[in-house]
Amino acid sequence: METRARLVDSTIDALIELGFAKTTGVEICRRSGLTRGALNHHFPDFADLLVDTLVELYTRLLAVKAVVDCGRLEAVLRASYERVIQPEFKAVIELWLASQNDPEFGSRLAAAIHENAPLFSPAMVLQLGEGFGVDQGVNQGVNHGVDEEGETLYYTMTETLIGIGLGRAVGRGESLAHEARVLGMLQSMARDYDQTLAKAAKNNPTLVKPQEQT
C-alpha cells in the first residue's frame, strides 16, 4: 500500500507540474524513487494508475472544507471555491481532458469520472451536505430539498468555479484579476437563495426536520 501510495503521489505531482502529456512512467519512477519493475508490478496497466490517481484526487479535494456560519448553498459555494484553488484541482483538469483526448486511457478515465459523478450532484450536495464542507456551522434544521432554482444555482456556481480553477491552472496558481468580483456575485446569489429558504421554513413547519420541531 505504501508503494502504491508513493506512485500515486508522484503521479499527482507530475500532473500538477508537467501536465498529462509529460506524466510518463519514467517521470513517475524518477519522482517516486522506485524502479520501472515496481511500477509495472503494482500497476501493470497504466490506466489503473490514472484511475487510482483520480480517485485519490477526489478524496483529497473533498477533505477540504470551509467551516462557516451561513446557509447551505453559500457554504457549498465557499467549500467548493477552496477546492478549485488547490493545486490538486489542476491535476483533476488534466485527467478530465485526458479522458476525452487520449484514446489509450480515455474510456477508463471516463468510466471513473462517471462513477464518481453522483458525489457532485445537486441532490447529494444540497440535501445531504455531509462531506462537502457544509456540515459545520450550517443550519441543519431546514430540509432544503432541491428545487429547480436551487439546482440551477448549484450548476451555475459549479461551472463558474471550474472556470476559476481552470484560469488558475493556466496562470500557475495565481488568482484571476476578476476572481473576487465573480465570487462575490455568486455568494450574493447563494445567500439570497438561503434566506428565501429560511423564511419559507418559518412559515411552513413541514420544511423542518422532525427532530428539530418544537
Side-chain angles (χ1 to χ4, degrees), residues 73 76 80 119-123 125-126 132 146 149-159:
L73 190 60
V76 169
S80 299
L119 288 174
F120 308 99
S121 70
V125 176
L126 298 181
F132 292 87
V146 184
E149 181 184 3
E151 187 176 78
T152 301
L153 282 171
Y154 174 80
Y155 284 130
T156 300
M157 292 187 329
T158 300
E159 297 299 330

Side-chain angles (χ1 to χ4, degrees), residues 28-68:
I28 292 167
C29 289
R30 184 188 71 79
R31 288 173 178 267
S32 65
L34 297 168
T35 65
R36 188 57 185 254
L39 172 61
N40 292 337
H41 172 75
H42 289 281
F43 295 101
D45 187 343
F46 197 68
D48 289 337
L49 173 59
L50 298 178
V51 169
D52 278 15
T53 298
L54 182 62
V55 172
E56 174 61 22
L57 285 165
Y58 282 162
T59 300
R60 291 187 187 185
L61 291 174
L62 285 173
V64 176
K65 297 184 179 182
V67 181
V68 292

Side-chain angles (χ1 to χ4, degrees), residues 4 8 11-12 15 20 43 45-59 95 99 104-116:
R4 290 175 69 92
V8 168
T11 304
I12 292 173
L15 287 169
F20 178 78
F43 295 101
D45 187 343
F46 197 68
D48 289 337
L49 173 59
L50 298 178
V51 169
D52 278 15
T53 298
L54 182 62
V55 172
E56 174 61 22
L57 285 165
Y58 282 162
T59 300
L95 292 178
S99 73
E104 185 175 359
F105 308 119
S107 61
R108 294 288 304 282
L109 284 170
I113 292 169
H114 178 74
E115 182 179 344
N116 287 278

Side-chain angles (χ1 to χ4, degrees), residues 78-123:
R78 293 190 186 184
S80 299
Y81 172 74
E82 290 299 322
R83 290 174 184 135
V84 301
I85 65 175
Q86 300 300 316
E88 287 85 356
F89 190 70
K90 180 181 184 294
V92 171
I93 293 174
E94 293 285 347
L95 292 178
W96 282 351
L97 292 174
S99 73
Q100 299 300 313
N101 299 329
D102 194 300
E104 185 175 359
F105 308 119
S107 61
R108 294 288 304 282
L109 284 170
I113 292 169
H114 178 74
E115 182 179 344
N116 287 278
L119 288 174
F120 308 99
S121 70

